[in-house]
Amino acid sequence: MGTPCYVGIASPHQPHLIHARYVHFDGYPSSLLARLRGIWAGVARRDTNALTGAVLAHDWAYLDPEVTATTTYGPGGIPTQRPVPGVGMTLGTLEPDGFEPVTVFPLSLAADLGASWIYVIDPASDTVAVYTGDGEPAAVHPLAPIPIAAHPLQPLVRNGFSPTTANTSARRTPTPGQGDAGRPRPCRPPAGRCRRTR
């Protein structure tokens, strides 16, 4: 399946109108969002306006930040398809002058497009709103990676104790010939109690 989708922006003066480009392959959110983030971080240099400009330049066979100038479409490709480095492979056009009009539609009529997903990039918030093929909102995702919050089980330092330094003061390097007799044994609570033997 091609999983076609549309990727674009909302009209600044009529937010219910979407200006978008058709993308034929890999339109599923788990794939396309990662690709948009790659284009945004790469060729667009984290500039969301540059991202929208790059995406709105063509209809696409697929978007992929790994595309280079020497990427080929493969068997069965259309001669008018061409790679756009850092963005993707164009779909090609049958228009003699090469002009590819942008698709403009209201979200309320999105079902008429026959696409699986619709992605609306918001340059003001550096986010991508995801809609189902019938124009229903699904989620909003940031283009920037979300920082990993401190894990709730991260070690806490209390009263000078830290698990990373625990037992280091009790460790002794045995003198030659002493063997393991001078090392403290690890604490293994057999029945809810812990005894330390020396």
Side-chain angles (χ1 to χ4, degrees):
M1 281 299 280
T3 317
C5 68
Y6 281 84
V7 182
I9 59 171
S11 172
H13 304 295
Q14 296 176 305
H16 67 286
L17 283 180
I18 307 302
H19 297 246
R21 286 296 190 175
Y22 176 75
V23 180
H24 189 65
F25 292 108
D26 293 331
Y28 197 74
S30 60
S31 173
L32 194 85
L33 287 168
R35 291 167 187 258
L36 286 175
R37 286 181 178 124
I39 297 166
W40 177 76
V43 73
R45 299 177 188 251
R46 300 175 71 92
D47 179 346
T48 307
N49 287 312
L51 169 66
T52 58
V55 170
L56 290 176
H58 304 279
D59 286 333
W60 302 94
Y62 61 90
L63 294 172
D64 188 347
E66 301 298 320
V67 166
T68 66
T70 58
T71 301
T72 57
Y73 185 80
I78 301 170
T80 55
Q81 291 175 324
R82 65 181 180 83
V84 178
V87 183
M89 182 69 69
T90 66
L91 189 59
T93 178
L94 300 177
E95 298 293 329
D97 59 359
F99 175 72
E100 303 171 53
V102 172
T103 302
V104 181
F105 59 92
L107 278 172
S108 60
L109 298 178
D112 295 343
L113 297 172
S116 300
W117 300 93
I118 298 163
Y119 301 87
V120 180
I121 302 167
D122 182 4
S125 62
D126 295 332
T127 59
V128 179
V130 182
Y131 296 85
T132 59
D134 57 1
E136 290 298 315
V140 176
H141 298 271
L143 285 166
I146 300 171
I148 298 173
H151 193 280
L153 299 178
Q154 287 292 326
L156 300 175
V157 178
R158 287 191 193 137
N159 299 329
F161 173 80
S162 169
T164 57
T165 59
N167 296 329
T168 55
S169 59
R171 289 188 191 138
R172 289 181 273 165
T173 306
T175 56
Q178 186 179 9
D180 289 338
R183 292 189 184 177
R185 293 185 185 161
C187 177
R188 292 188 181 94
R193 294 187 56 182
C194 180
R195 289 182 300 153
R196 216 176 256 287
T197 57
R198 294 181 193 242

